[in-house]
Amino acid sequence: MSAYETRLADLGVTLPDAPAPAANYVPYVQVGDLVHVSGQISMKDGAFLTGKLGDDMTAEDGAKAARSCAISLLAQVKAACGGDLDRLVRVVKLVGFVNSTAEFGDQPKVINGASDFMVEALGDAGRHARSAVSAASLPFGVAVEIEGIFQIR
C-alpha cells in the first residue's frame, strides 16, 4: 500500500476503481508529467449525489458532494500512475462546477470539500490552484463536478 493510500485508510477512505467515462472521452490525458483528469461527478455508494445548491442542498451538503469528486479524482490519478499513487507529486489545479441557483453565492465553500480533502489526504502535495463556479445544471442532475490537473513522476 502506498504512503498516500495508508493516509487515506487512516481517514477511512478506500479509493474505488477509477470510474469509466460516460460518453466519448477519456478519463485522463497525460502530457509530460501532468495528468489532466476529466470532470468527476458527485457520487456515493455507486449512486449520483443530485441536487441544486441554494434550493434543496446546503453548502455543507455540497461540500460532501465535492469530497466525493475528490476521491474519484484520486482514483483516476492512481489509474494514470499504473496503480502506484506514490507517483503523485502534487495537485496542480482543481476546477469545480456547482449546480446552483442564481442566488447561491457559496460555490467556494462547496468546493472547499474537495480542497480540504486533498490537503488532509496528501499534505502539502494537496495544495493547489482552483476555480469554483456556478452551473445552471450538471449531467444527471448531480450537485458537483470537478476536474483536475496533477503532476506525477
Side-chain angles (χ1 to χ4, degrees):
M1 185 180 296
S2 78
Y4 287 139
E5 286 182 283
T6 299
R7 178 67 185 134
L8 288 166
D10 291 344
L11 296 171
V13 175
T14 301
L15 293 180
D17 292 334
N24 187 18
Y25 63 91
V26 294
Y28 59 83
V29 172
Q30 183 175 346
V31 178
D33 65 348
L34 296 179
V35 175
H36 299 255
V37 180
S38 295
Q40 302 296 299
I41 58 177
S42 52
M43 298 187 74
K44 182 177 181 181
D45 300 326
F48 298 128
L49 285 172
T50 61
K52 186 172 282 286
L53 281 290
D55 181 21
D56 58 357
M57 292 184 82
T58 66
E60 293 76 24
D61 296 331
K64 290 176 186 172
R67 184 180 190 273
S68 78
C69 295
I71 292 169
S72 293
L73 285 165
L74 288 182
Q76 294 292 0
V77 172
K78 180 179 176 181
C81 291
D84 182 6
L85 195 58
D86 279 346
R87 289 181 52 203
L88 175 63
V89 175
R90 74 167 303 140
V91 182
V92 176
K93 183 169 184 181
L94 298 180
V95 179
F97 304 93
V98 180
N99 185 355
S100 54
T101 64
E103 298 78 25
F104 185 81
D106 283 335
Q107 290 80 7
K109 286 183 182 177
V110 170
I111 302 305
N112 280 347
S115 295
D116 293 346
F117 176 78
M118 290 297 190
V119 173
E120 187 177 14
L122 307 173
D124 283 341
R127 298 194 184 283
H128 53 272
R130 161 186 116 169
S131 300
V133 298
S134 180
S137 66
L138 289 172
F140 311 109
V142 297
V144 179
E145 180 174 353
I146 303 176
E147 64 183 51
I149 302 171
F150 302 81
Q151 182 184 17
I152 63 170
R153 56 175 140 292

